[in-house]
Amino acid sequence: MEIYFDNSATTRALDEVKDLVVKLMTEDYANPSSRHRKGMEAEQYVKEAAMRIAKTLKVKGKEIIFTSGGTESNNMALIGAALAGQRAGKHIISTRIEHASVYQPLAFLETLGFEVTYLHTDRQGHISLEELEQSIRPDTILVSVMYVNNEMGAIEPVEEIASLVHQKGKNIIFHVDAIQAYGKMEIRPKKQGIDLLSVSGHKIHGPKGVGFLYIDEKVRIKPLLYGGGQQRDLRSGTENVPGIAGLGLAAEEMYRDHKGKVARITELKDYFIDRVQELEGVTVNSLKKSAGAPQIASVSFKGVRSEVLLHALEDKGIYVSSGSACSSNHPAISGTLRAIGVEKDLLDSTLRFSFGLFNTKEEVDICISALEELLPVLRKYYRT
């Protein structure tokens, strides 16, 4: 029996999404830029996906730009907005717990002369609104804050941040990395004051290699890709129609009976946290119920290295993560865990358990039993 508790890295595609993707790769496979009937049919799939997604956010279809995934969406938002607004200033604000697809583009922008202020967080991973207010300057053009932290599930007060940012500077662009939030939270960019919003398809039981960037119609950004002028000249390149259609369907399905889906995942996360806290030497870094993300539980296991425990669980058919999967090929101590003040001896002893639509309480019980068996042995022979 395989138990997959790594849904924040990627999710199993829904069957209906798989079927639609296969259909568009084998039957309705035309290029959406072609002017014949089959091309127009392919183009219609792209438009329909945009409308499906727009409906979940209560925005306009034309405000959805499809990308190759979350990394491109974040790069497009940050670099595009910075380059478009640099005449007004070169100061950007972000946080110390961002994903690499945010802090690496910011590091690139620093090489171009931009200045970035990185906000601190508390033990729960929340920024200080007071520090944010003090950091905003006349030359601030962009603020980027992730909605849900990908490692420990902290939820930032996005609406309060947006209100403060726009109050201090009406032309400041507010970008939100919602890659771990979309599908799990009810998001209303217009109401919440979000100008740019990044999303990835494979985090919501959709295909890999596709995502989108919501761009408020009043916001102007510079494109990163030039060529055929697709997607209103903002993102040139032949559209990935199977991926886009699959993403649109996955988005629609995630927001069908949304409250029920979120309640089930949250209940599973809370059940896991309650069970794992029964074990000796365990520290949970995530919050229960709606105080934290529905799907993420970060747990530190005193006296055993995370990589050792990860592979010991893998040998029992249980799959988890030792951090952000996007960086897992380059193991290092998590900057997020450092930023939230995790004890030094626990920094390399932390695993992320993340849950999705296909997980069950029975799987949690099996995982806890495996941990009960493994931890004493690993602490004895593989101490940190």
Side-chain angles (χ1 to χ4, degrees), residues 141-192:
I141 59 169
L142 175 64
V143 174
S144 179
V145 177
M146 66 177 3
Y147 205 131
V148 168
N149 180 265
N150 58 297
E151 291 189 48
M152 38 82 69
I155 303 174
E156 299 298 341
V158 165
E159 200 162 336
E160 295 174 62
I161 293 170
S163 177
L164 176 59
V165 166
H166 294 312
Q167 180 184 347
K168 295 285 287 186
K170 64 179 182 178
N171 293 321
I172 299 175
I173 302 301
F174 180 41
H175 166 249
V176 172
D177 172 349
I179 291 165
Q180 295 292 346
Y182 184 74
K184 318 302 189 304
M185 320 283 293
E186 183 180 276
I187 304 174
R188 299 287 183 265
K190 303 291 187 186
K191 179 181 176 182
Q192 294 173 287

Side-chain angles (χ1 to χ4, degrees), residues 42-324:
E43 183 183 24
Q44 189 57 38
Y45 279 108
V46 175
K47 290 180 178 179
E48 183 179 353
M51 292 309 300
R52 280 175 158 168
I53 291 166
K55 188 175 180 180
T56 69
L57 297 171
K58 300 290 190 267
V59 300
K60 299 176 182 178
K62 69 178 184 179
E63 295 177 306
I64 304 299
I65 299 296
F66 293 106
T67 68
S68 63
T71 292
E72 185 187 341
S73 293
N74 281 337
N75 275 257
M76 184 178 183
L78 296 168
I79 298 173
L83 295 180
Q86 62 183 323
R87 288 187 178 182
K90 287 196 168 186
H91 181 236
I92 301 169
I93 299 173
S94 191
T95 82
R96 294 180 180 273
I97 62 169
E98 297 299 315
H99 189 271
S101 62
V102 167
Y103 69 71
Q104 290 288 2
L106 292 178
F108 167 71
L109 287 169
E110 287 180 301
T111 69
L112 300 183
F114 289 85
E115 182 183 351
V116 183
T117 297
Y118 295 94
L119 304 175
H120 299 82
T121 67
D122 60 19
R123 183 63 177 79
Q124 282 72 49
H126 301 136
I127 69 164
S128 162
L129 292 175
E130 183 179 353
E131 184 186 9
L132 170 61
E133 183 174 14
Q134 293 172 350
S135 299
I136 296 174
R137 310 184 324 207
D139 62 337
T140 302
I141 59 169
L142 175 64
V143 174
S144 179
V145 177
M146 66 177 3
Y147 205 131
V148 168
N149 180 265
N150 58 297
E151 291 189 48
M152 38 82 69
I155 303 174
E156 299 298 341
V158 165
E159 200 162 336
E160 295 174 62
I161 293 170
S163 177
L164 176 59
V165 166
H166 294 312
Q167 180 184 347
K168 295 285 287 186
K170 64 179 182 178
N171 293 321
I172 299 175
I173 302 301
F174 180 41
H175 166 249
V176 172
D177 172 349
I179 291 165
Q180 295 292 346
Y182 184 74
K184 318 302 189 304
M185 320 283 293
E186 183 180 276
I187 304 174
R188 299 287 183 265
K190 303 291 187 186
K191 179 181 176 182
Q192 294 173 287
I194 300 169
D195 300 307
L196 301 169
L197 185 90
S198 302
V199 172
S200 179
H202 69 111
K203 310 294 187 180
I204 60 165
H205 300 280
K208 296 178 181 66
V210 65
F212 71 83
L213 178 65
Y214 158 76
I215 307 175
D216 185 282
E217 61 184 340
K218 297 177 183 176
V219 172
R220 297 290 174 263
I221 70 171
K222 291 279 189 181
L224 302 187
L225 300 177
Y226 295 86
Q230 289 88 346
Q231 300 198 75
R232 298 188 290 114
D233 286 324
L234 286 174
R235 205 273 189 179
S236 289
T238 299
E239 295 92 337
N240 171 13
V241 181
I244 288 170
L247 168 57
L249 181 56
E252 185 175 78
E253 289 299 321
M254 284 300 294
Y255 280 96
R256 180 177 284 118
D257 183 28
H258 183 246
K259 289 183 179 179
K261 288 185 175 73
V262 171
R264 288 194 294 275
I265 296 173
T266 303
E267 181 182 3
L268 197 64
K269 176 199 71 171
D270 290 352
Y271 179 68
F272 172 81
I273 289 176
D274 288 339
R275 290 295 319 274
V276 81
Q277 285 180 320
E278 297 171 0
L279 306 179
E280 182 182 352
V282 165
T283 301
V284 175
N285 305 307
S286 303
L287 298 175
K288 291 176 62 179
K289 300 190 184 299
S290 59
Q295 77 276 28
I296 297 174
S298 169
V299 184
S300 300
F301 299 89
K302 191 175 181 67
V304 57
R305 288 183 60 234
S306 56
E307 207 73 17
V308 172
L309 182 53
L310 181 149
H311 291 302
L313 287 170
E314 178 188 1
D315 288 341
K316 292 183 174 294
I318 301 169
Y319 298 93
V320 300
S321 172
S322 58
S324 172

Side-chain angles (χ1 to χ4, degrees), residues 4 6-12 202-203 206 208 325 352:
Y4 185 78
D6 198 16
N7 289 275
S8 284
T10 197
T11 54
R12 169 184 151 189
H202 69 111
K203 310 294 187 180
K208 296 178 181 66
R352 179 186 67 186

Side-chain angles (χ1 to χ4, degrees), residues 13-30 45 49 52 201-202 205-210 240-250:
L14 297 169
D15 287 342
E16 51 267 51
V17 169
K18 174 202 70 176
D19 293 342
L20 180 60
V21 170
V22 171
K23 181 178 186 292
L24 267 67
M25 293 180 72
T26 58
E27 298 178 26
D28 301 334
Y29 49 79
Y45 279 108
R52 280 175 158 168
H202 69 111
H205 300 280
K208 296 178 181 66
V210 65
N240 171 13
V241 181
I244 288 170
L247 168 57
L249 181 56

